[in-house]
Amino acid sequence: MAAQYAIEGATAKGIAASVERGVSEGGLAPGDALPPVRRLAEELGVSPGTVATAYKELRQRGLIVTRGRGGTVVAEVPSMASRRPPRVPAGLVDLSAGFPDPAFLPVLRPPAAVAPVYGSHRAAPRLAHLEALTRAWFERDGVPAEHVTFAHGALDCIARLLSTELRPGDSVAVEDPGFHHVLDLVPALGLRAVPVAVDGEGLVPESLRAALRGGVRAVVCSPRGQCPTGAFFTRARRDELVEVLREFPEVLVVEDDHNAEVGGAAAYTLAAAGLDRWAQVRTASKHLGIDLRWAGVACDAVTLARHDRRMVMTSGWVSHVLQETVADLLADGAVRDLVAAGEEAYAERRSALLGALGSYGIRAVGASGLNVWVPVRDESAVVNGLRTQGWWVAAGARFRIAAPPAVRITTATLAPADALRLAADFAEVLGDAQATYGG
C-alpha cells in the first residue's frame, strides 16, 4: 500500500469508500497492496468481518483483486489519459484513427416505414431475414451458424460475454499489442488483462499456452486485420492455437473479426475449429459505416443463452429500424461491389506504404486490415517529428502492455503517392531521432 495513504472507516461501507477515494484521488495506485484483513481490522478497531465485507464489495466493483499469496491489490484500471487518442492538431493529415475511407462506405438509407407494434420486441428480438443473412455471412467462412444473435457492436458484445462468464478478479488473455478499447474494457470490468504476444500470424502459441496455464478464463483475439499490427491467422497458426486451446476446454474464446469484409486475408478462424466454448463477433463498422452500431454473433449454445439472457435484462434488443437498415445493405449487390473495391484499395494502400518504408530500410508490418505498425525506439520523438512534417500518427503506447514501442499508421485514406512522401519524412525523422537519442 502507498505509504502516504491511510485507509479509514468504522463500517464496511466507510472502509470501502475510503479505498475508493484513495484510488480516485491517486493515493492508491494500480498494483498497490492493501493491508491483510486482520491487520487492517486491528488498525481501525473493527472486526475482521467488517473489513472482509468491505473488500468483497470492492472486488465485486472491480476496484481491487486478490492474487492468492500475492495478497489483495488495487486493480489495474484503464489509464484513460494514455489510451484515449489525443485531439488531432489542426492542419495535419490524420493517419491515427483507424477509420475506413468514407469513399468506400455506402450511403445509409434507413427504411422508409417501420410499422408500430404493441409492446416491445423482447419476444422476437431478431428480424428473420437479417438472421438468415447473418447465418450466411458466417457460413461463407466455415463458421458454424446454428446459434446466432445480435449486439450493439463488438465491444458491447465482448463486454456482455465477459461479464456473464467471469467474475471480478478473473484473468483474460488479450493480444499485446492489441485493440486499445479491449485493453481498457477488460480492467474496467474488474478483470485482469494477461498479455499474449503477437507476431505476423497473430497470437504466439507458446505465449498463449503460458497465459492459459496461468489460469485465464477467456481469450479475446482477432483472426485477421488485427489491430494494430494487421496480423492474420494462417491455417498452420490457427491449427497450432487450436491444439493449445483443446488443453483448456472450459476457456471461452472470443474472436473479434471486425475486418471480415475489408481485411484482405483469408478466414482461418478458431470459431470454425470445433472448440467447446467460443464466439465470433462481426460488425458493420468497417465496411458499411461506423454509425451502424450492430454486430452479428455466432457462438456455442451455452454462450448464446448467457449472452441473450443478459441482453434481455438490459437493452432488450437491437433496434428493428437499425436491423432493417443493415439487412438492406447486406442484400444490396451494389453495396457488395463497393465494399470489394474498398478491400482492394486498402490492400494497395497498405502495400504502398510498406514498400515505401522498406526502401529506406524501415521495418514495418501490416499484412491485412487498415493499419501499418512500425517499431521505433522512441514513440514520442517519431510522433512529434512527423507532426512537424504535417502528419499525425498514433503513438503505440495505448495499444501495448509489455510489447516494444511502435507507432500505428492508418493507411485507409493514404494514397500511394502520398505514401512515398510519408516514408521519406519518416526516414528523416528517424535520422533526427538517432542524432538526438542515439538511435
Side-chain angles (χ1 to χ4, degrees):
M1 183 182 68
Q4 71 273 21
Y5 189 82
I7 299 174
E8 302 173 341
T11 64
K13 288 190 177 298
I15 295 167
S18 176
V19 172
E20 183 171 6
R21 186 164 56 249
V23 172
S24 63
E25 294 177 354
L28 291 170
D32 280 350
L34 300 184
V37 168
R38 291 191 178 278
R39 181 155 65 98
L40 183 58
E42 292 177 1
E43 292 174 358
L44 299 178
V46 299
S47 72
T50 298
V51 175
T53 300
Y55 280 11
K56 179 180 179 180
E57 178 183 343
L58 291 165
R59 277 194 300 271
Q60 290 174 338
R61 293 169 57 198
L63 289 170
I64 65 174
V65 294
T66 299
R67 297 177 176 171
R69 293 183 179 180
T72 299
V73 301
V74 177
E76 296 289 337
V77 295
S79 175
M80 300 311 291
S82 64
R83 299 285 186 201
R84 284 181 179 170
R87 186 183 302 276
V88 181
L92 301 186
V93 178
D94 182 13
L95 302 177
S96 68
F99 296 138
D101 186 343
F104 298 108
L105 298 176
V107 175
L108 302 184
R109 296 185 176 89
V114 176
V117 298
Y118 174 76
S120 76
H121 291 295
R122 290 181 188 273
R126 295 182 292 278
L127 295 178
H129 54 293
L130 180 55
E131 188 168 334
L133 288 166
T134 303
R135 291 184 193 279
W137 190 18
F138 284 110
E139 288 171 346
R140 180 199 68 186
D141 293 322
V143 176
E146 180 182 358
H147 307 290
V148 299
T149 189
F150 302 158
H152 301 92
L155 287 171
D156 171 72
C157 177
I158 293 170
R160 191 173 294 109
L161 292 173
L162 294 181
S163 63
T164 57
E165 191 75 22
L166 281 65
R167 295 293 177 266
D170 286 344
S171 300
V172 180
V174 297
E175 297 166 322
D176 183 25
F179 185 33
H180 62 289
H181 287 308
V182 170
L183 300 187
D184 282 348
L185 174 65
V186 169
L189 295 173
L191 307 172
R192 188 166 69 91
V194 177
V196 175
V198 173
D199 64 14
E201 297 179 67
L203 294 173
V204 175
E206 284 310 309
S207 183
L208 176 61
R209 179 177 277 109
L212 291 166
R213 286 176 174 170
V216 301
R217 295 193 55 200
V219 178
V220 180
C221 62
S222 294
R224 52 185 163 180
Q226 194 266 353
C227 177
T229 70
F232 64 89
F233 292 162
T234 60
R235 185 193 299 273
R237 174 58 58 84
R238 188 274 309 272
D239 292 346
E240 288 182 89
L241 294 172
V242 170
E243 184 178 349
V244 172
L245 288 164
R246 289 202 191 284
E247 300 174 26
F248 304 88
E250 73 285 356
V251 171
L252 174 65
V253 178
V254 182
E255 281 189 309
D256 177 7
D257 196 10
H258 60 284
N259 274 315
E261 297 306 290
V262 294
Y268 297 112
T269 72
L270 299 173
L275 299 174
D276 290 347
R277 299 298 316 285
W278 64 276
Q280 187 179 102
V281 188
R282 293 188 176 186
T283 67
S285 299
K286 298 300 185 185
H287 69 290
L288 297 180
I290 61 174
D291 197 37
L292 288 173
R293 310 314 298 164
W294 174 87
V297 188
C299 53
D300 67 86
V302 172
T303 300
L304 176 82
R306 291 178 178 177
H307 175 278
D308 282 4
R309 280 199 298 267
R310 180 64 60 87
M311 185 86 154
V312 165
M313 291 187 293
T314 53
S315 55
W317 67 92
V318 176
S319 161
H320 278 204
V321 176
L322 177 59
Q323 290 189 46
E324 289 282 11
T325 303
V326 173
D328 288 348
L329 292 169
L330 290 179
D332 190 324
V335 171
R336 289 195 294 271
D337 290 343
L338 180 64
V339 171
E343 182 177 37
E344 183 177 345
Y346 295 144
E348 179 185 10
R349 293 168 186 181
R350 281 195 319 272
S351 296
L353 182 58
L354 290 171
L357 290 170
S359 69
Y360 289 94
I362 301 171
R363 183 175 65 89
V365 294
S368 65
L370 307 182
N371 305 293
V372 165
W373 183 249
V374 191
V376 297
R377 177 168 299 214
D378 188 296
E379 293 178 3
S380 296
V382 171
V383 170
N384 291 325
L386 288 175
R387 176 178 180 175
T388 66
Q389 304 280 7
W391 309 100
W392 187 246
V393 302
R398 72 177 188 266
F399 305 98
R400 302 186 291 106
I401 299 176
V407 296
R408 191 191 75 169
I409 303 174
T410 299
T411 56
T413 59
L414 183 67
D418 292 330
L420 296 172
R421 183 166 62 89
L422 173 58
D425 290 341
F426 204 115
E428 182 179 339
V429 167
L430 289 183
D432 291 342
Q434 183 173 3
T436 303
Y437 299 103

